[in-house]
Amino acid sequence: MADRSLGGRAPLSSEQLAALERRVRNAASSSGRLRITRRADPASPAPLSSAQQRLWVLDQLVPGNSWYNVTRTLRIEGSLRPDALARALDSLVERHESLRTTFESRDGQPVQVVSPAGSVSLATVSLEDISPKSRDARAEALALEDAERPFDLERGPLLRATLFRLSPDRHVFHLTAHHIVTDGWSMEILFRDLSSLYEAAVEGSAPALPPLPVQFPDFCVWQREWLSTEAARSQTAHWAERLGGVPPLDLPFDHPRRDVPTFRGVNRTREVGRETVDALRALARSEGATLFMTLLAAFEIFLSRHSGQDDVSVATPIAGRLRPELENLVGFFANTVIVRGDLSGTPTFREVVRRVRETTLDAYAHQEVPLEKLVDILRPERSLAQNPMAQAVCVLQNAPSSELRFGGARVTPLRVLTSSARFDLELHAAEAADALSCMMIGSSDVFDALTVERMLERFAMLLESMAAQPDLPAGQASMVPAGERDLLLSWGSPAPIALDPPRRLTARFEQRVASSPQSPALEFEDRTLSYDELNRRANQLARRLRTLEVGPEVLVGVCLERSLDMVVALLAVLKAGGAYLPLDPAYPADRLAFMLEDSQARVVITRASERASVPGSANAEVLLLDSDAASLAAEEDSNLDHPGSPDGDDLAYVIYTSGSTGVPKGVLVTHANVDRLFAA
């Protein structure tokens, strides 16, 4: 058996490999004898699988996304017949029902509808009219554009094919499908079948492909029935016990998590050399494990070191094809299992590999329960912002790669990397002849590109330490490259920094206005103010405040919602020489009343829409920006003099504490305080 269910091809002895296979196969065979059979009416709508249901719901929540597009691109050098390729595509879609499936909502529930076999559109794009040196890059750019173009799940089709002609004997063939109808393993089957169908189309003969005993919708019907069996209940109960109380992974982010993710990512790639990989394989053999298990152990250590957690869960995809009738079928069979890592105590690298081996085998022995079913049962906190059961994934690419033939043409895969990220952090590894290619993908919602690059460098260092010293405590291995270590040490002993003398904030601002008056200073919704416009409006309001005896050490409340007016008001108070007191209209009335009484603010700036938020008991004059707009616009808009201390020792604003430990207290902040903060 190809090592599809074990996450990586293991350099084990035949006895070890047989033992691993028996454990997984025995679990699968004992998980229920319910066979997958053809539906009585293949033309009738079928239910969705659990995995499909998740992608369908996500598409309903955020329509028009391309997060789950699956692509593959081939460079074809030699004679190619586009007409035969088009006929082969037609035969391919006729053979696999999933490739002519769309998804409709009926009575509030999604169903998959299989359309009759028909002609597939093979888009052809000639690039022969551009420079020969630019053709490959242009083909890759167009392939990437297609890979990131969304599908309509209801209308379909959910498969697109494009042939780029670079010259009479050089082509690039690109295919994009939605994950809801295929997966990584299926893409290998798809291209293997396409190659055979192309050969048959060229020769005018029948393709040498065995008939398919079932189709993907038959599997979906079977899965619904299987989930009600005792075997499924037993596996589900096992997972509920194993994953109960899984803590979320708390990695240090560069940015706070968004409420709605963009699923955009940044990726970095690095090769781990042959010497290190051979040593990792030797470590795996000594512990009866696979290279994937050793890689996963290193990733768990890496995540533990970055999060400070010794309970770390990592997702890993599996092919989901334990049953022989699914071997040659295209569809979305892949499932995700959660491997819960135990890093407690002070384990060595070797001990972590042993622990991961046991938890991984346990996960594979119970792999038929869809992850979505576990989420429904365990009910972790759900949100679009993050995956509910694990926020990191580890993948070792090991789907069987068939040698493709398109007549006598030479076919080589072409890697077109999209910028998607479905987890906070992803590790994708692929075995090569003399190295291990590791790609780390970080969600750009929470990580900067430089952070991802540094994390990958640290992970590579960790693999080298693990390979060289497998009996070293995992927590003692260095993961900080020399350059980064020197930088950290220099931060610990910084050289003195010469700062300019502090100045009033208004002087700093007016210096910027003079240097770039027409540059945008503020943007809010569909409105923009240049530095000059902002300065003039603030000057006009400042002059009005001067008539209300606002000057040094005089507090002015600003009770405005987030808007351009709010920034104008804050700047105007400073230009008048006063200090502002921010008053959030959303605060409770008693808190606003306390702040005004305690601060003895002389004036409150607000608008008619927020006037009701200003307590009636306040002994302050109320200035309404909207009601007084005409008279304010008539004020002189040139710069005012700067009253108070030129070195910024007078008050700029007062901010009140939350009061969570008692009565809120006003914190006094001077111009010099803020100026030094900006300088630092």
Side-chain angles (χ1 to χ4, degrees), residues 165-295:
R165 179 183 169 98
L166 280 61
S167 70
D169 60 354
R170 293 184 67 242
H171 295 79
V172 170
F173 178 59
H174 174 74
L175 189 142
T176 303
H178 197 285
H179 199 356
I180 202 168
V181 297
T182 188
D183 55 27
W185 197 276
S186 292
M187 294 297 276
E188 294 291 340
I189 295 171
L190 187 155
F191 274 89
R192 183 193 66 198
D193 286 1
L194 183 63
S195 176
S196 297
L197 293 167
Y198 174 82
E199 297 280 343
V202 169
E203 297 170 0
S205 60
L209 292 175
L212 296 173
V214 295
Q215 290 286 344
F216 184 76
D218 304 323
F219 164 77
C220 297
V221 172
W222 171 88
Q223 187 186 66
R224 289 286 182 100
E225 296 175 358
W226 182 82
L227 286 172
S228 64
T229 64
E230 182 58 36
R233 285 191 287 270
S234 175
Q235 283 199 30
T236 303
H238 173 87
W239 279 113
E241 179 182 358
R242 185 75 186 85
L243 298 180
V246 166
L249 185 62
D250 188 18
L251 292 173
F253 292 157
D254 295 318
H255 311 287
R257 194 186 295 280
R258 295 168 174 259
D259 292 335
V260 178
T262 66
F263 285 89
R264 308 296 290 182
V266 57
N267 60 70
R268 292 292 183 269
T269 304
R270 184 186 183 98
E271 284 202 346
V272 177
R274 181 174 184 175
E275 183 178 347
T276 298
V277 177
D278 286 347
L280 292 174
R281 287 194 178 106
L283 172 59
R285 278 196 302 271
S286 69
E287 298 304 324
T290 65
L291 178 62
F292 169 73
M293 294 172 186
T294 306
L295 190 71

Side-chain angles (χ1 to χ4, degrees), residues 421-448:
R422 299 167 189 168
F423 291 77
D424 291 343
L425 197 64
E426 304 180 14
L427 175 66
H428 295 257
E431 289 187 76
D434 57 355
L436 185 71
S437 176
C438 292
M439 179 170 64
M440 193 163 282
I441 305 174
S443 167
S444 55
D445 290 348
V446 295
F447 291 119
D448 291 330

Side-chain angles (χ1 to χ4, degrees), residues 5 217 367 391 548 653:
S5 62
Q367 63 175 279
Q391 291 76 54
L548 300 176
Y653 63 87

Side-chain angles (χ1 to χ4, degrees), residues 445-472:
D445 290 348
V446 295
F447 291 119
D448 291 330
L450 181 59
T451 300
V452 176
E453 187 172 326
R454 285 177 173 168
M455 286 196 292
L456 180 56
E457 191 172 3
R458 293 172 199 151
F459 181 72
M461 286 190 66
L462 186 65
L463 287 179
E464 292 172 3
S465 296
M466 191 173 186
Q469 298 175 284
D471 294 306
L472 181 74

Side-chain angles (χ1 to χ4, degrees), residues 364-645:
Y364 292 145
H366 300 85
Q367 63 175 279
E368 288 192 280
V369 179
L371 179 63
E372 295 73 23
K373 179 74 171 177
L374 298 179
V375 172
D376 289 342
I377 292 173
L378 295 172
R379 296 187 178 279
E381 185 175 345
R382 299 292 296 271
S383 135
L384 271 178
Q386 67 178 24
N387 281 280
M389 298 298 297
Q391 291 76 54
V393 66
C394 181
V395 183
L396 179 61
Q397 299 291 353
N398 72 313
S401 183
S402 305
E403 182 180 353
L404 298 179
R405 296 177 57 196
F406 284 86
R410 179 188 174 197
V411 179
T412 54
L414 187 64
R415 197 171 193 182
V416 176
L417 289 176
T418 62
S419 57
S420 62
R422 299 167 189 168
F423 291 77
D424 291 343
L425 197 64
E426 304 180 14
L427 175 66
H428 295 257
E431 289 187 76
D434 57 355
L436 185 71
S437 176
C438 292
M439 179 170 64
M440 193 163 282
I441 305 174
S443 167
S444 55
D445 290 348
V446 295
F447 291 119
D448 291 330
L450 181 59
T451 300
V452 176
E453 187 172 326
R454 285 177 173 168
M455 286 196 292
L456 180 56
E457 191 172 3
R458 293 172 199 151
F459 181 72
M461 286 190 66
L462 186 65
L463 287 179
E464 292 172 3
S465 296
M466 191 173 186
Q469 298 175 284
D471 294 306
L472 181 74
Q476 293 183 14
S478 174
M479 296 196 308
V480 183
E484 189 175 343
R485 182 170 59 250
D486 292 343
L487 181 61
L488 291 171
L489 291 174
S490 69
W491 283 348
S493 306
I497 300 174
L499 300 179
D500 293 335
R503 299 169 58 191
R504 293 184 62 83
L505 300 179
T506 47
R508 294 275 191 200
F509 175 77
E510 287 167 9
Q511 183 180 14
R512 177 61 187 270
V513 174
S515 65
S516 51
Q518 300 310 314
S519 297
L522 289 179
E523 291 183 358
F524 182 74
E525 295 178 344
D526 58 348
R527 298 179 60 199
T528 301
L529 285 182
S530 68
Y531 276 97
D532 183 64
E533 291 170 324
L534 173 58
N535 190 51
R536 291 178 183 278
R537 285 186 54 181
N539 287 337
Q540 290 172 327
L541 180 54
R543 282 190 160 79
R544 176 62 58 84
L545 292 173
R546 287 271 181 93
T547 67
L548 300 176
E549 300 182 353
V550 173
E553 307 299 314
V554 174
L555 278 174
V556 177
V558 179
C559 187
L560 294 167
E561 293 181 347
R562 184 184 296 268
S563 61
L564 298 180
D565 281 346
M566 183 185 73
V567 181
V568 170
L570 300 179
L571 183 56
V573 173
L574 298 178
K575 279 175 166 283
Y580 63 81
L581 169 68
L583 301 168
D584 190 335
Y587 279 171
D590 56 349
R591 178 176 174 85
L592 291 173
F594 170 81
M595 292 165 67
L596 283 170
E597 181 180 356
D598 186 65
S599 66
Q600 295 297 299
R602 188 172 298 177
V603 179
V604 174
I605 303 173
T606 186
R607 292 179 297 206
S609 57
E610 287 110 337
R611 176 67 177 85
S613 299
V614 180
S617 59
N619 295 319
E621 184 159 351
V622 177
L623 176 59
L624 298 176
L625 294 183
D626 43 3
S627 300
D628 293 341
S631 61
L632 287 171
E635 295 279 1
E636 172 63 39
D637 63 2
S638 60
N639 288 335
L640 293 77
D641 61 312
H642 294 287
S645 170

